[in-house]
Amino acid sequence: MKTVLITGGSRGIGQACVLAFARAGWQVAFSYHTQAEQAGQLVERVRQQGGAAACWQADVADSSQVDRLFARAEEAFDPIDALVCNAGIAHQGLLTDMTDAQWRRLMGVDLDGAFYCCRRALPAMVRRHQGSVVLISSMWGVTGGSCEAAYSAAKAGLIGLAKALAKEMGPSGIRVNCIAPGVIDTEMNGGLTEEDLAALREETPLGRQGAPEEVAEAALFLCGEGARFITGQVLGVDGGIAV
Ligand code: NDP
């Protein structure tokens, strides 16, 4: 049985990934940050469906917490075959109003977090000459989003990281890809007004928001055998908005 480690599995896209991988027969190790109860209920749900899952608390912006997360996951499910770096936060506002602390926090969670996870996951994958990494970027990392400059910069950083690692790790049999979701119906977009959402739907050729499950299916595909010759790619799951 293969094992995946998913960061930020307690809600939204991460939760959909936990369920999709478990349903496909993977053992799922995942992290949460603040939502311990929700994460625990998700573990129960997976187990009731006959799957295997376990979760641990970790702030991905702290490398020591990431190292501890991996140590626990390896103790439970060693070896880890796939990594999905999903944990993320957003920040809306003018760049000129952003404080040092807000910028650092966003970079810490969205970009440093992926670095810490990849640094910790890759050596064991190299030893086994196999593995797959998926970084959850964003359409804003591809196109840039007004009033989301820091978020766009961090998400573009993930694309650079994936492309570079695809080259660095390909000879070791490891694939690294990004997913760039469009507007997905999760709590992250809870701050948007109905008017904002309607405008985004209008801009989306497929005319609607995406579901977290639609991103999860792409992550599952990229980690699976069907994607064995795919690396260094940015897969848009965005209803065509960033085309
Ligand atoms: P949610 O806000 O619904 O969930 C965020 C998840 O990340 C939660 O599980 C949360 O944990 C976890 N998390 C937040 N901060 C930290 C941290 N410091 N350390 C560890 N985990 C943390 O977001 P989405 O599901 O919408 O987003 C998931 C990913 O997809 C993010 O990277 C986001 O940028 C990206 N994305 C989302 C889009 C959208 O439209 N929704 C579009 C494009 C990209 P907890 O609940 O325990 O606090």
Side-chain angles (χ1 to χ4, degrees), residues 7-15 30-36 38-39 57-62 65 85-90 105 108-110 136-140 151 155 158 179-189 192 209-210 212 215 237:
T7 62
S10 41
R11 287 185 283 131
I13 292 169
Q15 181 184 69
F30 72 93
S31 72
Y32 61 91
H33 183 222
T34 58
Q35 302 299 311
Q38 223 160 312
Q57 200 275 339
D59 178 348
V60 295
D62 178 339
Q65 294 189 35
C85 291
N86 163 79
I89 53 173
R105 181 64 184 158
V109 176
D110 289 8
I136 306 293
S137 176
S138 163
M139 65 173 174
W140 298 135
Y151 183 75
K155 294 296 183 177
L158 291 179
I179 294 176
V183 187
I184 309 299
D185 187 12
T186 69
E187 286 171 30
M188 184 171 271
N189 290 326
L192 297 179
Q209 283 177 260
V215 181
V237 181

Side-chain angles (χ1 to χ4, degrees), residues 44-196:
E44 267 318 297
R45 192 170 154 191
V46 169
R47 289 181 182 163
Q48 276 165 14
Q49 291 170 359
C55 68
W56 299 273
Q57 200 275 339
D59 178 348
V60 295
D62 178 339
S63 64
S64 65
Q65 294 189 35
V66 169
D67 290 347
R68 193 182 58 195
L69 165 69
F70 272 82
R72 289 174 167 176
E74 283 164 350
E75 205 181 319
F77 292 133
D78 189 48
I80 290 165
D81 300 281
L83 166 66
V84 179
C85 291
N86 163 79
I89 53 173
H91 177 93
Q92 272 111 24
L94 292 174
L95 179 80
T96 45
D97 290 339
M98 206 168 180
T99 65
D100 292 6
Q102 287 170 328
W103 173 275
R104 280 277 20 113
R105 181 64 184 158
L106 192 135
M107 291 297 161
V109 176
D110 289 8
L111 189 53
D112 300 358
F115 158 54
Y116 298 145
C117 289
C118 290
R119 182 175 64 180
R120 183 59 179 72
L122 288 168
M125 291 182 178
V126 168
R127 277 195 296 278
R128 297 176 60 233
H129 209 79
Q130 67 179 70
S132 176
V133 176
V134 171
L135 308 180
I136 306 293
S137 176
S138 163
M139 65 173 174
W140 298 135
V142 178
T143 65
S146 171
C147 294
E148 303 226 34
Y151 183 75
S152 302
K155 294 296 183 177
L158 291 179
I159 293 172
L161 179 65
K163 285 177 183 270
L165 282 179
K167 291 179 178 161
E168 202 168 308
M169 292 292 141
S172 298
I174 298 160
R175 300 179 299 100
V176 187
N177 291 289
C178 268
I179 294 176
V183 187
I184 309 299
D185 187 12
T186 69
E187 286 171 30
M188 184 171 271
N189 290 326
L192 297 179
T193 63
E194 188 39 49
E195 212 178 5
D196 295 334

